[in-house]
Amino acid sequence: MSHNTFGHLFRVTTWGESHGPALGCVVDGCPPGIRFTLAEIQAWMDKRKPGQSRFVTQRREDDIVKVLSGVMLDADGETMISTGTPISMLIENTDQRSKDYGEIARRYRPGHADYTYDVKYGIRDYRGGGRSSARETAARVAAGALARKVVPSLNVRAALIQIGKHKIDRANWDWDQVGQNPFFCPDAAMVPVWEEYLDDIRKAGSSIGAVVEVIAEGVPAGLGAPVYGKLDQDIASLLMSINAVKGVEIGDGFGVAELSGEEDADEMRMGNDGKPIFLSNHAGGILGGISTGEAVVARFAIKPTSSILTEQRSIDVDGNNVEVRTKGRHDPCVGIRAVPIGEAMVACAIADHYLRDRAQTGRNL
Amino acid sequence: MSHNTFGHLFRVTTWGESHGPALGCVVDGCPPGIRFTLAEIQAWMDKRKPGQSRFVTQRREDDIVKVLSGVMLDADGETMISTGTPISMLIENTDQRSKDYGEIARRYRPGHADYTYDVKYGIRDYRGGGRSSARETAARVAAGALARKVVPSLNVRAALIQIGKHKIDRANWDWDQVGQNPFFCPDAAMVPVWEEYLDDIRKAGSSIGAVVEVIAEGVPAGLGAPVYGKLDQDIASLLMSINAVKGVEIGDGFGVAELSGEEDADEMRMGNDGKPIFLSNHAGGILGGISTGEAVVARFAIKPTSSILTEQRSIDVDGNNVEVRTKGRHDPCVGIRAVPIGEAMVACAIADHYLRDRAQTGRNL
Amino acid sequence: MSHNTFGHLFRVTTWGESHGPALGCVVDGCPPGIRFTLAEIQAWMDKRKPGQSRFVTQRREDDIVKVLSGVMLDADGETMISTGTPISMLIENTDQRSKDYGEIARRYRPGHADYTYDVKYGIRDYRGGGRSSARETAARVAAGALARKVVPSLNVRAALIQIGKHKIDRANWDWDQVGQNPFFCPDAAMVPVWEEYLDDIRKAGSSIGAVVEVIAEGVPAGLGAPVYGKLDQDIASLLMSINAVKGVEIGDGFGVAELSGEEDADEMRMGNDGKPIFLSNHAGGILGGISTGEAVVARFAIKPTSSILTEQRSIDVDGNNVEVRTKGRHDPCVGIRAVPIGEAMVACAIADHYLRDRAQTGRNL
Amino acid sequence: MSHNTFGHLFRVTTWGESHGPALGCVVDGCPPGIRFTLAEIQAWMDKRKPGQSRFVTQRREDDIVKVLSGVMLDADGETMISTGTPISMLIENTDQRSKDYGEIARRYRPGHADYTYDVKYGIRDYRGGGRSSARETAARVAAGALARKVVPSLNVRAALIQIGKHKIDRANWDWDQVGQNPFFCPDAAMVPVWEEYLDDIRKAGSSIGAVVEVIAEGVPAGLGAPVYGKLDQDIASLLMSINAVKGVEIGDGFGVAELSGEEDADEMRMGNDGKPIFLSNHAGGILGGISTGEAVVARFAIKPTSSILTEQRSIDVDGNNVEVRTKGRHDPCVGIRAVPIGEAMVACAIADHYLRDRAQTGRNL
């Protein structure tokens, strides 16, 4: 058991707080011979890092990853090759805005983990949220960058599909759009709507929830294991572990409640190339906890950040009734930056099951 | 790592297939001195067992639990006392209707795990679904019965809140109703609606999805651990491990996507008894992965069973296009029997975190 | 974490007490397609079962293994084929001699686990030693029988090499002898010596310690992983988990303390077949925690059973000074029956690392 | 599963190679509120660090520990207080002597892990032994320093008791001596013998094995769990994980082979203070895998380092027969520096079981 580790064979341990000197992760179990460059990792880090638009927190962090162990440099002096030993990655905290934490140190912000950390541990690193800060997710994205390399065929992408009541039109889905707007939005028509909507929320010092969809293509059929090593189970666990996530779906998700057996089941046929084809993908690429070979589809809902300008009722550490208002930098919609994090979590889950499958079946997909 | 084990300190390993001689579980880590009777376990088993109404499968299983180890009998000859060693529980399969499995053995039923088991393992126990059968969940309910005993204050209950498009009216919620209809429905007004609706589905040989809500009261504040030992993460994992589940929510769940920070955050005040009070429970009793002391609220969506009378397109093990129709006993709405299973999963997750909390904090809540 | 489970990918959970209805194990992670017969398992069980000579306990147990899950019968009606799901094996307790446990229930036998179980759990199954009984090791041998099948090239054998001060002459080592005497002794010349020696001990109601050596041949090079997944580490852990074991060695073991670097290092040369050869095997087949391809050699020391006829000073559960004498059946040298158990433990450790190697390296040795 | 993690509730993950920028560990599960200073950790590090006498390697490393997460500074600006989140500790490598590794990169040193790493991973960090270097043990000692703090009553000490054939006289055992000679030798009379003996070995470019004894006092009775969570099992596992260790003993160890039941069993009496007393401690403080409250006694044998000046036969990565001679810094007796490492391992095992005991029994010893 480990409170700060996930995965069984592709095993990631993260550490670090928002305002300590650094944060990082140790990836254990990475196969030897995996080749990657720092630039490749950094590209994923850059998707997540703060301060990239007016719609996310204005904290400035470069999120430069240092690889401290587990690799040998190739002759090109740039490509790293994993050796099979643990890969330790470190990211320094640089923009720890100096300020007086006196108020937050003693008052529990509603919707935050302040109260629960204190009630559990009797001590809490209140600086910037400490361990409960979304800074921790930087380490996840670094690990996810390696996970993508472990499964050769894997392509994990995600997009924001809902902010508040504004949902994208799936008919407009265009992956190329995702990299061209500050929301990771696949629907070009929705971008201006969200811009205006979020500007209002941002100016009001408020915040709003969102939904992210992750789609993993190139997942070999056969990953996952009955009945407590199901692929969807581990994806659900990891997506739910992301800060502020309150719901997770696979495939048709909660929509299945309204489907009949005829509507829900994905029929099959043999393809012209002699491979099985699913005629639909209500299952989101997973049946009985095992991947079908179709795209793995997962969605998760992120609540609005509780750091808002509106004064709220709360208590302090001494048990007094107090009012709390969160000043300073904040994310009007934390769901935006959750997009690369969701990708990383799904990539890690799939990489883990890819290795688990090798162990139990002896094949190497 | 274990494919068939869940929990870290209250650790449950299940085994068994639908049509083998028996199925069961081993519960490891149960504290010593826990007192229970077979009748208490059996009461939970009876909630789950098949054949209790026309709305569930007509398979007849008594689901009698035998406790093979880990207990001493008290002087009353009835009360079992756990000794701290593993508790092995066994449930015999009795109604294994003899039939020719020839067709199912060779044809993949759409929506079932037939294909994925075969593609993974190259061998599959096709009799009654083998390991992918809902029979396995009997062992979960037995383990859940012990889990309830581990946390003295715990009260876990669940109800079916949606079948197809028919959702209950939460204003009518009455726990007393749950035990008085074949649906575990808390809304008396909805019962006749569901009866008529499901009768139609049953007669048509079709099936329909559903949503279950689990509410755990008496959960001490402080259970769960950042950041990969979150209580909601483990609840999500275990609920997603239940057969046919495609979505999991905590508290307001996917509803948070439409909430503002003001609407979502649960404000606090000191109660008259000197204890903190949350003025709402959008969080579903969990903040930062740690329980707040409020009721833990989880929901999950169950897809319609794929065993339907309608002919569907599929392939066989030799790669031929075939048509498949599932004859025989089936559940028109498997969501009904998922109610006690959901309770058991949440109880197990909470018991596990209760023990984990003792380890890390040294307190005994 | 699990108190009663070992292995990571070939994962064995045992349960059961000496005087309950049964004991058993669940083997999780066994690859699919492993073929075995009950007769093959039983052959190993028979090596361990009690009552086979006057030098071991006279308890009579047939130790018949039932396989309850995880297999399909082949067309021959006899060969079982693993399906990749958990294999549950059950062994009934049949010779639970009815007697009054009143004395043992309340008095701590020196050298036994009576006191420590009580001080830990506050409750203890005193009947026949409960969970601390060597009965539990029957489940290990059953699991070991499967483990042998997982690694195709594996051949694990063990022998008793020392009883009291009487050590075998290694020059006389003959594997064929091991099956032809009641001691698993590889040195024919030592057999009559041990017979006379043990007869005296047995008649005196005393007991004596012993040393077992396990040799595993056909272990592929490359099993084990730095630095806390070392093969020798896991072998040491499992051998030390056997009742009454107080010491474990790999290769030259404690003898290395007296060796120089020149004497200890195993030099290498290329063989005529183009494969590396080690010119000696001081390392016992493991370097840096990873198998070299040479025979894996492990030894373990078993203390004399504490169940002796001589009266000893002790205390009772109420804190009174008392005298204790263990009447009834006992093993004059429990080391004898530890031979097949040691084999099973080493086989399980190797099978586990065989699967772990597949996961991390992608090869299938 | 994790290759580079040990412990279940006091869980330590180490990372880093001999010649990378740094090495370190992440300690997960440390209870909150544990108070320590960097100076306290550093004191243990200093016991292990190289270059302190002519009898150990002349590599110069300050082994300064940086704590990167998981703590808050107390008001004194010096005392760190654990917060319950993962504690990341980092130690920079500073004396990475620049040299040409060409020869070692391609030739397998007999007795080293060179060959097995290559055969397993197909790639190996040959610089200074990479991950197989004893540098990794610095992280263990840092973790051990925290472990000592977790169990308030714990006092773990170790001593070197044998070098080559020269064993200490136990009658001379004096803990005060241990800190006053370069060997951690408790027998003042043996120090000059070892000095002369090791000087000869050092000058000859040879090396010699040794035995370390670890004694843990203040271990509460009741730690450890049957049957695969035995305290001695975990101690054996961790001691065997130390580089070059080939044997592990608890209590009388291999000596039990020659003992009768009467000689081996530790009789009991009630003490004048109403607490049970063991009249001897052949068991080494552990019965049935559970601590008795007596001192836990463990010993381990360390082989001579294989880095010797004598030319040895080996092969290279291309399969050619070659001769290998290890030039440069080396330890004539690596057993010396294993003393603080052994302490750390035993402390970690006990801390882990201390937390496990809290979980299962609910008490806080």
Side-chain angles (χ1 to χ4, degrees):
Chain A
M1 190 191 79
S2 192
H3 311 292
N4 291 280
T5 298
F6 63 87
H8 293 279
L9 296 180
F10 185 84
R11 195 162 175 91
V12 180
T13 300
T14 79
W15 55 269
E17 282 87 27
S18 172
H19 281 58
L23 58 90
C25 65
V26 182
V27 178
D28 196 10
C30 187
I34 302 291
R35 304 171 68 87
F36 62 95
T37 64
L38 277 179
E40 287 176 309
I41 297 182
Q42 210 59 46
W44 300 112
M45 301 302 291
D46 290 349
K47 279 187 73 172
R48 193 212 69 97
K49 78 178 180 190
Q52 302 194 101
S53 82
R54 68 183 184 274
F55 303 110
V56 298
T57 179
Q58 294 307 298
R59 179 169 176 161
R60 297 276 167 186
E61 291 285 356
D62 286 337
D63 284 355
I64 302 296
V65 174
K66 292 182 188 172
V67 175
L68 300 179
S69 67
V71 298
M72 293 288 279
L73 263 189
D74 200 3
D76 66 8
E78 188 179 358
T79 305
M80 293 177 165
I81 312 175
S82 65
T83 61
T85 62
I87 298 174
S88 176
M89 296 190 281
L90 181 142
I91 300 150
E92 289 177 9
N93 287 323
T94 55
D95 182 15
Q96 307 161 47
R97 186 176 292 191
S98 95
K99 74 173 183 180
D100 178 9
Y101 286 102
E103 186 168 321
I104 289 175
R106 305 196 61 77
R107 298 184 176 196
Y108 301 130
R109 292 167 296 168
H112 275 273
D114 300 342
Y115 171 70
T116 52
Y117 270 62
D118 250 8
V119 85
K120 182 176 193 81
Y121 296 119
I123 181 174
R124 167 175 55 100
D125 188 342
Y126 47 77
R127 299 166 302 169
R131 182 74 179 149
S132 71
S133 163
R135 283 290 301 145
E136 185 272 341
T137 59
R140 304 182 188 218
V141 173
L146 290 184
R148 293 169 189 270
K149 293 281 182 176
V150 168
V151 187
S153 56
L154 186 62
N155 181 23
V156 182
R157 296 181 290 186
L160 200 65
I161 62 169
Q162 180 180 352
I163 296 182
K165 289 187 185 301
H166 301 285
K167 304 181 184 180
I168 64 154
D169 180 348
R170 301 187 75 90
N172 293 342
W173 193 298
D174 176 2
W175 280 113
D176 288 338
Q177 284 298 320
V178 170
Q180 297 175 24
N181 61 72
F183 308 111
F184 304 109
C185 177
D187 173 3
M190 184 54 68
V191 173
V193 179
W194 284 358
E195 274 185 349
E196 187 180 340
Y197 181 63
L198 271 191
D199 268 333
D200 288 348
I201 286 167
R202 182 173 59 84
K203 290 172 187 165
S206 184
S207 63
I208 191 71
V211 176
V212 173
E213 180 163 320
V214 187
I215 298 178
E217 293 171 306
V219 181
L223 305 193
V227 293
Y228 303 112
K230 288 176 172 165
L231 178 57
D232 39 359
Q233 179 182 6
D234 285 350
I235 288 174
S237 173
L238 285 180
L239 292 178
M240 193 63 94
S241 80
I242 301 174
N243 315 43
V245 170
K246 301 302 283 186
V248 179
E249 293 182 328
I250 303 293
D252 282 1
F254 276 86
V256 297
E258 305 191 359
L259 296 184
S260 69
E262 288 79 1
E263 292 164 331
D264 180 63
D266 301 311
E267 295 183 293
M268 300 181 76
R269 274 293 178 250
M270 289 305 293
N272 292 331
D273 60 353
K275 291 183 186 163
I277 293 172
F278 285 87
L279 305 180
S280 56
N281 189 18
H282 296 284
I286 303 176
L287 283 173
I290 302 173
S291 61
T292 62
E294 296 294 302
V296 169
V297 180
R299 272 178 304 284
F300 58 100
I302 309 102
K303 71 177 187 180
T305 182
S306 316
S307 300
I308 50 177
L309 285 179
T310 310
E311 199 168 79
Q312 292 177 294
R313 291 170 290 177
S314 187
I315 61 171
D316 67 14
V317 297
D318 301 317
N320 302 307
N321 286 336
V322 296
E323 317 303 307
V324 178
R325 207 163 68 92
T326 310
K327 286 161 279 188
R329 309 176 291 200
H330 87 290
D331 278 281
C333 178
V334 286
I336 298 171
R337 290 174 59 215
V339 170
I341 305 166
E343 288 178 356
M345 293 290 88
V346 171
C348 286
I350 291 169
D352 189 40
H353 278 279
Y354 179 79
L355 300 184
R356 293 169 75 167
D357 186 73
R358 294 209 300 209
Q360 204 182 4
T361 68
R363 62 189 170 179
N364 191 352
L365 297 169
Chain B
M1 188 191 79
S2 193
H3 310 293
N4 291 281
T5 297
F6 62 88
H8 293 279
L9 296 180
F10 184 84
R11 196 163 174 90
V12 180
T13 301
T14 78
W15 55 268
E17 282 86 26
S18 172
H19 281 57
L23 57 91
C25 66
V26 182
V27 178
D28 196 9
C30 186
I34 302 291
R35 304 171 67 87
F36 63 95
T37 64
L38 276 179
E40 286 176 309
I41 297 182
Q42 210 60 46
W44 300 112
M45 301 302 292
D46 289 349
K47 279 188 74 173
R48 193 213 69 97
K49 77 179 180 189
Q52 302 192 99
S53 81
R54 68 182 183 276
F55 304 110
V56 297
T57 178
Q58 295 306 301
R59 178 170 176 161
R60 298 274 168 187
E61 290 286 356
D62 286 337
D63 283 356
I64 301 295
V65 174
K66 291 182 187 171
V67 175
L68 299 179
S69 67
V71 297
M72 291 287 278
L73 263 190
D74 200 4
D76 65 7
E78 188 179 358
T79 305
M80 294 178 164
I81 313 174
S82 65
T83 61
T85 62
I87 298 174
S88 176
M89 296 190 282
L90 182 142
I91 299 150
E92 288 177 9
N93 287 322
T94 54
D95 183 15
Q96 308 161 47
R97 185 177 292 192
S98 96
K99 72 172 183 182
D100 177 10
Y101 286 102
E103 186 167 323
I104 288 175
R106 305 197 59 79
R107 298 184 176 197
Y108 301 130
R109 292 166 296 169
H112 276 273
D114 300 341
Y115 171 70
T116 53
Y117 270 62
D118 249 8
V119 84
K120 183 176 193 81
Y121 297 118
I123 180 175
R124 166 174 56 99
D125 189 341
Y126 46 77
R127 300 165 301 170
R131 182 73 179 149
S132 71
S133 163
R135 283 290 300 147
E136 185 272 341
T137 60
R140 305 183 188 218
V141 173
L146 290 184
R148 294 169 189 269
K149 293 281 182 177
V150 168
V151 188
S153 56
L154 186 62
N155 182 24
V156 182
R157 295 181 289 186
L160 199 66
I161 63 169
Q162 181 180 349
I163 296 182
K165 288 186 186 300
H166 301 285
K167 303 182 185 181
I168 64 153
D169 180 348
R170 300 188 75 88
N172 293 342
W173 194 296
D174 177 0
W175 280 114
D176 288 338
Q177 285 298 321
V178 169
Q180 296 176 22
N181 61 72
F183 308 111
F184 304 108
C185 178
D187 173 2
M190 184 52 68
V191 173
V193 179
W194 285 357
E195 274 185 350
E196 186 179 342
Y197 182 61
L198 273 191
D199 267 333
D200 288 349
I201 287 168
R202 182 173 58 83
K203 289 170 188 165
S206 184
S207 63
I208 191 72
V211 176
V212 173
E213 181 162 320
V214 187
I215 298 178
E217 291 170 306
V219 180
L223 306 193
V227 293
Y228 303 113
K230 288 177 172 165
L231 179 56
D232 38 359
Q233 179 181 5
D234 286 350
I235 289 174
S237 173
L238 286 180
L239 292 178
M240 195 62 94
S241 80
I242 300 173
N243 313 44
V245 170
K246 301 302 283 187
V248 178
E249 293 183 327
I250 303 293
D252 282 2
F254 276 85
V256 296
E258 305 190 0
L259 296 183
S260 69
E262 289 79 2
E263 292 165 332
D264 179 65
D266 301 310
E267 295 184 292
M268 300 181 77
R269 274 293 179 250
M270 289 305 293
N272 292 330
D273 60 353
K275 291 184 186 163
I277 293 172
F278 285 87
L279 305 181
S280 56
N281 190 18
H282 297 286
I286 302 176
L287 283 173
I290 302 173
S291 61
T292 63
E294 296 293 303
V296 169
V297 180
R299 271 179 304 284
F300 58 100
I302 309 103
K303 71 176 188 181
T305 182
S306 315
S307 299
I308 49 177
L309 285 179
T310 310
E311 199 168 76
Q312 292 177 296
R313 290 170 291 175
S314 188
I315 61 172
D316 67 14
V317 297
D318 299 317
N320 302 307
N321 286 336
V322 295
E323 317 302 307
V324 178
R325 208 163 66 91
T326 310
K327 287 162 277 187
R329 308 176 291 200
H330 86 290
D331 278 282
C333 178
V334 285
I336 298 170
R337 289 175 58 215
V339 171
I341 304 166
E343 289 177 356
M345 294 291 88
V346 171
C348 286
I350 291 169
D352 190 40
H353 278 280
Y354 178 79
L355 300 183
R356 292 169 75 166
D357 185 73
R358 295 210 299 209
Q360 204 182 6
T361 69
R363 63 189 169 179
N364 191 351
L365 296 169
Chain C
M1 188 191 80
S2 192
H3 310 293
N4 291 281
T5 297
F6 62 88
H8 293 279
L9 295 181
F10 185 84
R11 195 161 174 91
V12 181
T13 301
T14 78
W15 55 270
E17 282 87 25
S18 172
H19 281 58
L23 58 90
C25 65
V26 182
V27 178
D28 196 10
C30 187
I34 303 291
R35 303 172 68 87
F36 63 95
T37 64
L38 277 179
E40 287 176 308
I41 297 183
Q42 209 60 45
W44 300 112
M45 300 301 292
D46 290 349
K47 279 187 74 172
R48 193 212 70 95
K49 75 178 181 190
Q52 302 193 101
S53 82
R54 67 182 184 275
F55 303 109
V56 297
T57 178
Q58 294 308 299
R59 178 169 176 161
R60 297 274 167 188
E61 291 286 356
D62 287 336
D63 284 356
I64 302 295
V65 174
K66 292 181 188 171
V67 175
L68 300 179
S69 67
V71 298
M72 292 288 278
L73 264 190
D74 200 4
D76 66 7
E78 188 180 357
T79 304
M80 292 178 166
I81 312 174
S82 66
T83 60
T85 62
I87 299 174
S88 176
M89 295 190 282
L90 183 142
I91 300 150
E92 288 177 10
N93 288 322
T94 54
D95 183 14
Q96 308 161 47
R97 185 175 293 191
S98 97
K99 73 173 182 181
D100 178 9
Y101 286 102
E103 187 167 320
I104 289 176
R106 306 196 59 78
R107 298 184 176 197
Y108 301 131
R109 292 166 297 169
H112 275 273
D114 300 342
Y115 171 71
T116 52
Y117 270 63
D118 250 8
V119 85
K120 183 175 193 82
Y121 297 118
I123 180 175
R124 166 175 56 98
D125 188 342
Y126 46 77
R127 299 166 301 169
R131 182 73 178 149
S132 70
S133 163
R135 282 291 299 147
E136 185 272 339
T137 60
R140 303 182 189 218
V141 174
L146 291 184
R148 294 169 188 269
K149 293 282 182 176
V150 168
V151 188
S153 56
L154 186 63
N155 182 24
V156 183
R157 295 181 290 185
L160 200 65
I161 63 170
Q162 181 181 350
I163 296 182
K165 288 186 186 300
H166 301 285
K167 303 181 185 181
I168 64 153
D169 180 347
R170 300 188 74 89
N172 293 342
W173 194 297
D174 177 1
W175 280 114
D176 288 339
Q177 284 298 321
V178 170
Q180 296 176 22
N181 62 72
F183 308 111
F184 303 110
C185 178
D187 173 1
M190 184 53 68
V191 173
V193 180
W194 285 357
E195 274 185 350
E196 186 179 343
Y197 182 61
L198 272 191
D199 267 333
D200 288 348
I201 287 169
R202 182 173 58 84
K203 289 170 188 165
S206 185
S207 62
I208 191 71
V211 175
V212 173
E213 180 163 319
V214 187
I215 298 178
E217 292 171 306
V219 181
L223 306 193
V227 292
Y228 303 113
K230 288 177 172 165
L231 179 57
D232 39 358
Q233 179 182 7
D234 286 350
I235 289 174
S237 173
L238 286 180
L239 292 178
M240 194 63 95
S241 80
I242 301 173
N243 314 43
V245 170
K246 302 302 283 188
V248 179
E249 293 182 327
I250 303 294
D252 282 1
F254 276 85
V256 297
E258 304 190 0
L259 295 183
S260 70
E262 289 79 2
E263 293 165 331
D264 179 64
D266 301 311
E267 295 183 293
M268 299 181 77
R269 274 293 179 252
M270 289 306 293
N272 292 331
D273 59 353
K275 290 183 186 164
I277 293 172
F278 285 87
L279 305 181
S280 56
N281 190 17
H282 296 285
I286 302 176
L287 283 173
I290 302 173
S291 62
T292 63
E294 295 294 302
V296 169
V297 180
R299 271 177 305 283
F300 58 101
I302 310 102
K303 71 177 189 181
T305 182
S306 316
S307 300
I308 50 178
L309 284 179
T310 311
E311 198 168 78
Q312 292 177 294
R313 290 171 290 176
S314 188
I315 61 172
D316 66 15
V317 298
D318 300 317
N320 301 308
N321 286 336
V322 294
E323 317 303 306
V324 178
R325 206 162 68 93
T326 309
K327 287 160 280 188
R329 308 176 291 199
H330 86 289
D331 279 281
C333 178
V334 284
I336 298 171
R337 290 175 59 215
V339 171
I341 305 166
E343 289 178 355
M345 294 290 88
V346 171
C348 286
I350 291 169
D352 189 40
H353 278 280
Y354 178 79
L355 300 184
R356 291 168 76 168
D357 186 73
R358 294 210 299 209
Q360 204 182 6
T361 69
R363 61 188 170 181
N364 191 350
L365 296 168
Chain D
M1 189 191 78
S2 192
H3 311 292
N4 291 279
T5 296
F6 63 88
H8 292 279
L9 296 180
F10 185 84
R11 194 161 175 92
V12 180
T13 301
T14 79
W15 55 269
E17 282 87 27
S18 172
H19 281 57
L23 58 90
C25 65
V26 182
V27 179
D28 196 10
C30 188
I34 302 292
R35 304 172 68 87
F36 62 95
T37 64
L38 277 179
E40 287 177 309
I41 297 183
Q42 209 59 47
W44 300 113
M45 300 302 292
D46 290 349
K47 280 187 74 172
R48 193 212 69 97
K49 77 179 180 190
Q52 301 193 102
S53 82
R54 67 182 183 276
F55 304 109
V56 297
T57 178
Q58 294 306 298
R59 177 168 177 162
R60 298 277 168 186
E61 291 285 356
D62 287 336
D63 283 355
I64 303 295
V65 174
K66 292 181 187 171
V67 175
L68 299 179
S69 67
V71 298
M72 292 287 279
L73 264 189
D74 200 3
D76 65 8
E78 190 179 355
T79 304
M80 292 178 166
I81 313 174
S82 66
T83 61
T85 61
I87 298 174
S88 175
M89 296 190 281
L90 181 142
I91 300 150
E92 289 178 8
N93 287 323
T94 55
D95 183 14
Q96 307 161 44
R97 187 175 291 191
S98 96
K99 72 172 183 182
D100 177 9
Y101 287 102
E103 187 167 321
I104 288 176
R106 304 196 59 78
R107 297 183 178 199
Y108 301 130
R109 293 166 295 169
H112 276 273
D114 300 342
Y115 171 70
T116 52
Y117 270 62
D118 250 8
V119 84
K120 182 176 193 80
Y121 296 119
I123 181 174
R124 166 174 56 100
D125 188 342
Y126 47 77
R127 298 166 302 170
R131 183 73 179 149
S132 70
S133 164
R135 283 291 298 146
E136 184 272 341
T137 60
R140 304 182 188 219
V141 173
L146 290 183
R148 293 169 189 271
K149 293 281 182 177
V150 168
V151 188
S153 56
L154 185 63
N155 181 24
V156 183
R157 295 181 290 187
L160 200 65
I161 63 170
Q162 180 180 350
I163 296 181
K165 289 187 185 298
H166 302 285
K167 303 180 185 181
I168 64 153
D169 181 348
R170 301 187 75 89
N172 292 343
W173 194 297
D174 177 1
W175 280 114
D176 288 338
Q177 284 298 320
V178 170
Q180 295 175 24
N181 62 72
F183 309 110
F184 304 109
C185 178
D187 173 2
M190 184 53 68
V191 173
V193 180
W194 285 357
E195 273 185 350
E196 187 179 341
Y197 181 63
L198 271 192
D199 267 333
D200 288 349
I201 286 168
R202 182 173 58 85
K203 289 170 188 164
S206 184
S207 62
I208 191 71
V211 176
V212 173
E213 180 163 320
V214 187
I215 298 178
E217 292 169 307
V219 181
L223 306 192
V227 291
Y228 304 112
K230 287 176 172 166
L231 179 57
D232 39 358
Q233 180 182 6
D234 286 350
I235 289 174
S237 173
L238 286 181
L239 292 178
M240 193 62 94
S241 80
I242 300 174
N243 315 43
V245 171
K246 301 302 284 186
V248 179
E249 292 182 327
I250 303 294
D252 282 1
F254 277 86
V256 297
E258 304 190 1
L259 296 184
S260 70
E262 288 79 1
E263 292 165 331
D264 179 65
D266 303 310
E267 294 183 294
M268 300 181 76
R269 274 293 179 252
M270 288 306 293
N272 292 331
D273 59 354
K275 292 183 185 163
I277 293 172
F278 285 87
L279 304 180
S280 56
N281 189 18
H282 296 285
I286 302 175
L287 283 173
I290 302 173
S291 61
T292 63
E294 296 293 303
V296 169
V297 180
R299 271 179 304 284
F300 59 99
I302 310 101
K303 72 177 188 180
T305 182
S306 317
S307 299
I308 50 177
L309 285 179
T310 310
E311 199 168 76
Q312 292 176 293
R313 289 170 290 176
S314 188
I315 62 172
D316 66 14
V317 299
D318 300 317
N320 302 308
N321 286 336
V322 296
E323 317 303 307
V324 178
R325 207 163 67 90
T326 310
K327 286 161 279 188
R329 309 176 291 200
H330 87 290
D331 279 281
C333 178
V334 285
I336 298 171
R337 290 174 59 216
V339 170
I341 305 166
E343 289 177 356
M345 294 290 89
V346 171
C348 285
I350 291 169
D352 189 40
H353 278 279
Y354 178 79
L355 299 184
R356 292 169 76 168
D357 185 73
R358 295 210 298 210
Q360 205 183 4
T361 69
R363 62 189 171 180
N364 191 350
L365 296 169

